[in-house]
Amino acid sequence: MRGLMQDVPLTVDSIFRHAEQHHGDVPIVTNNPGGKVRTTYAEWAMRTRRLGGVLDTLGISADGRVGTFAWNSARHLELYFAAPCTGRVLHTLNVRLFPEQLTYIANHAEDEVVFVDRTVLPLLWPLIDTMTTVRHVVVMDDGGDAEIPDDPRVHDYEALLADAQPVDFGTTDENAAASMCYTSGTTGNPKGVVYSHRSTVLHTMAVVSPNGFGIGVEDVAMPIVPMFHANAWGIAHAAPAAGAAMVFPGAMMQPQALADLIVDEGVTFTAGVPTIFQGALPHLAGRPHRLRKIGCGGSAVPKALSEAYREQVGLPLYQAWGMTETHPVASGGTLSARWADADEATQADRRARQGVPLFGVEARIVEAGTTDPLPWDDTATGELQVRGPWCARDYYSPDAGVELSTEDGWMKTGDVAAMDEAGNIRIADRTKDLIKSGGEWISSVDLENAIMSHPAVAEAAVVAIPHPKWDERPLACVVLKPGEQATEQEILDHITPLVAKWWLPDAVEFIDEVPKTSVGKFSKKDLRTRFAEYPVRS
Ligand code: AMP
């Protein structure tokens, strides 16, 4: 017997139409260097339909890749929908990548056009001749005085929009590609993840759900996580789907500007990587605000940072785990009712975990290189693998030898994790960041958490340094808070009761700043290179 329900395709158009039809009066604010720009979903929808007309005028092919090189803004949101809703594929380029990576990615994806914010035009324009398939560059004037080249390929966004006719949206194939995003590429070339309309809609439903970010019609949602990094964690789809107001930070990504925007615009939900919230904390602490949930992830959320938010801002950080390959939100750390009565310390420990897979995603841990599941006893650690309708099956035209899926259909994450009896995930490390000392594994994440609970420490990154006897030993790279002092011995004394004795770092290096990747995570690769010749102490 077959079900008798309508087989309506799950397409990005449905999100667009919902916001257009039901939430037209809801405001959208963008913070540009020249001041705030205010619009509504009604105006956004009208402009998005005209932008569809622009893509026709520019002659972008039926499933052509539409590149963006832009901050979070209402215009970027127009592109987020105009491209997929006309059958094209949105391709967000990360403005913080190295030139060679940008060229590689634009050529690999075969971008036909790049829409670029004027504030970052100087980063893109020098590369344009290396991007062999790009025929048009459309400048979105978000302020600043960057020179706009006098070149037939260059167009002005507003001028194109003013001349364009609005188009009807009517994609019907839910499995067609809607957008793509390249991972930062830890090893080898960056890898393209291709999202379908269907995966986007299902991920959106998970993100709006209470166990996800729980975004609703009463929210004012501000994605700090860039729209060029893993779909702004789904917020750019979830907010229109929920009719939530939106606030975009634009190019104004400085901690003070972000904190002011949260306070002044009555933001109720925001999300970003831990380093962002580390920077914003002193600017938010003690100020009146309407925040009810702060999503944090992308790297381990230090317990000390979450607790500092609880104490100084009035709410802890809500930890989510995911990857570009999982759209990205795959698990979230909601405290279930059965923990509500636990003491603060226990609750803080729970919040330091990466959470339970959201409904729709399944997770397992396996012995490396096998498909044998390990027990959920919070002790055994193995590679975390996931499956579900918004997990990638394969990369876009990957290099030889790169395989994302196991033979039995699970996605390999490259993360090492333990799971408790309820399947609540605790990420121990990235496979490549684990430290192997005397044949045993040391978790850099656990050490960092312990070090960051020292009151003088702003940031800590622990990396492996070569050792003749133990193979590898941990080195702690520590950034102190401005005006604070601490010695190596004080740091080691502080963490001695918190970790196994043989885990204690061989040395503590005080550095000015932890180098960051293009998406704001600690770049341990850079630290490993910098300290590769570190003198052996014991
Ligand atoms: P990306 O594709 O850039 O979003 O990076 C995905 C990787 O970030 C994951 O494989 C994890 O290693 C890391 N990551 C994401 N969220 C978390 C989290 N909450 N805790 C620890 N690591 C995380």
Side-chain angles (χ1 to χ4, degrees):
M1 190 174 181
R2 307 281 300 163
L4 292 173
M5 309 311 282
Q6 296 181 359
D7 189 9
V8 177
L10 303 175
T11 60
V12 173
D13 319 25
S14 62
I15 303 175
F16 174 84
R17 271 195 303 278
H18 179 80
E20 181 182 50
Q21 290 170 353
H22 302 294
H23 304 291
D25 58 335
V26 172
I28 308 175
V29 181
T30 305
N31 198 19
N32 282 336
K36 288 178 189 164
V37 179
R38 293 178 191 276
T39 182
T40 59
Y41 278 123
E43 206 178 325
W44 160 80
M46 197 249 301
R47 286 168 56 90
T48 303
R49 288 190 182 279
R50 297 176 87 95
L51 181 56
V54 168
L55 297 176
D56 292 343
T57 316
L58 294 177
I60 306 305
S61 37
D63 67 350
R65 262 65 79 199
V66 175
T68 64
F69 194 73
W71 301 110
N72 292 6
S73 72
R75 285 186 182 130
H76 210 164
L77 193 70
E78 290 163 7
L79 284 153
Y80 251 59
F81 286 83
C85 293
T86 59
R88 276 87 177 201
V89 182
L90 176 85
H91 174 206
T92 50
L93 290 154
N94 182 337
V95 306
R96 302 204 183 93
L97 286 182
F98 293 121
E100 301 74 36
Q101 289 174 310
L102 283 169
T103 299
Y104 173 86
I105 288 172
N107 289 337
H108 191 263
E110 297 177 87
D111 292 342
E112 296 181 22
V113 54
V114 183
F115 288 78
V116 52
D117 275 340
R118 187 175 185 178
T119 47
V120 286
L121 182 61
L123 300 176
L124 181 82
W125 186 252
L127 308 177
I128 215 67
D129 290 330
T130 67
M131 298 180 168
T132 52
T133 53
V134 174
R135 289 182 281 117
H136 303 284
V137 174
V138 182
V139 179
M140 302 184 283
D141 195 347
D142 62 335
D145 52 9
E147 193 189 331
I148 298 176
D150 183 12
D151 185 292
R153 288 170 293 184
V154 177
H155 313 269
D156 174 63
Y157 187 83
E158 293 301 327
L160 289 179
L161 222 58
D163 288 345
Q165 291 302 316
V167 295
D168 287 337
F169 294 149
T171 53
T172 50
D173 180 0
E174 65 175 21
N175 286 307
S179 59
M180 63 193 302
C181 184
Y182 281 73
T183 63
S184 358
T186 43
T187 50
N189 286 320
K191 298 167 194 69
V193 179
V194 183
Y195 310 100
S196 64
H197 281 260
R198 175 186 156 82
S199 69
T200 309
V201 170
L202 292 171
H203 179 254
T204 302
M205 288 183 173
V207 169
V208 294
S209 73
N211 286 359
F213 292 150
I215 298 175
V217 74
E218 288 171 4
D219 275 310
V220 179
M222 173 166 143
I224 301 178
V225 50
M227 290 166 88
F228 56 71
H229 180 207
N231 301 307
W233 297 353
I235 302 161
H237 294 108
M246 294 204 80
V247 176
F248 291 109
M252 308 296 287
M253 290 290 283
Q254 310 78 359
Q256 172 86 57
L258 293 173
D260 290 349
L261 201 57
I262 288 171
V263 171
D264 297 344
E265 295 299 328
V267 170
T268 61
F269 171 77
T270 187
V273 293
T275 45
I276 287 283
F277 291 114
Q278 180 87 47
L281 177 60
H283 306 285
L284 272 178
R287 292 174 75 183
H289 64 76
R290 290 188 59 220
L291 285 167
R292 58 153 195 86
K293 197 166 196 174
I294 304 175
C296 194
S299 54
V301 178
K303 188 164 76 174
L305 182 64
S306 188
E307 285 301 281
Y309 266 78
R310 188 173 67 76
E311 284 157 18
Q312 299 173 41
V313 182
L315 72 168
L317 302 175
Y318 163 88
Q319 175 151 207
W321 171 87
M323 310 172 68
T324 304
E325 291 85 337
T326 63
H327 239 292
V329 187
S331 75
T334 305
L335 279 180
S336 68
R338 61 185 182 275
W339 291 96
D341 295 334
D343 58 46
E344 285 299 349
T346 310
Q347 295 208 22
D349 283 343
R350 301 291 296 179
R351 284 191 286 265
R353 303 180 72 98
Q354 281 68 20
V356 171
L358 296 184
F359 167 63
V361 175
E362 289 177 89
R364 71 178 184 185
I365 43 174
V366 300
E367 191 79 61
T370 76
T371 54
D372 303 333
L374 289 163
W376 292 4
D377 58 7
D378 207 19
T379 305
T381 55
E383 187 187 31
L384 180 64
Q385 299 185 342
V386 291
R387 69 175 178 193
W390 59 91
C391 301
R393 186 177 64 224
D394 211 346
Y395 290 115
Y396 178 60
S397 194
D399 292 342
V402 173
E403 273 178 21
L404 186 57
S405 297
T406 62
E407 59 203 28
D408 59 346
W410 290 71
M411 198 196 97
K412 297 185 274 187
T413 68
D415 284 341
V416 179
M419 293 169 83
D420 73 8
E421 64 291 347
N424 193 330
I425 298 164
R426 178 168 58 79
I427 301 279
D429 228 327
R430 289 291 292 165
T431 322
K432 62 181 179 26
D433 290 337
L434 279 170
I435 299 149
K436 196 157 200 183
S437 177
E440 296 292 336
W441 296 108
I442 297 177
S443 160
S444 64
V445 172
D446 286 355
L447 277 175
E448 286 157 10
N449 261 318
I451 298 169
M452 280 193 263
S453 68
H454 188 290
V457 173
E459 288 180 336
V462 176
V463 293
I465 44 171
H467 192 282
K469 177 168 174 201
W470 303 111
D471 194 18
E472 290 179 348
R473 287 296 302 157
L475 169 73
C477 304
V478 171
V479 181
L480 293 175
K481 290 179 183 160
E484 297 282 349
Q485 301 285 329
T487 61
E488 174 174 282
Q489 199 52 50
E490 280 163 11
I491 301 283
L492 295 176
D493 288 348
H494 176 77
I495 65 172
T496 300
L498 304 175
V499 300
K501 193 158 178 292
W502 61 276
W503 279 32
L504 282 183
D506 275 20
V508 177
E509 271 292 318
F510 292 97
I511 57 176
D512 292 339
E513 195 188 348
V514 177
K516 309 285 189 315
T517 68
S518 60
V519 291
K521 303 182 191 188
F522 289 176
S523 178
K524 296 200 180 169
K525 197 161 61 174
D526 285 350
L527 286 174
R528 276 193 290 264
T529 313
R530 177 167 160 194
F531 294 115
E533 311 278 319
Y534 205 82
V536 177
R537 290 229 188 141
S538 54

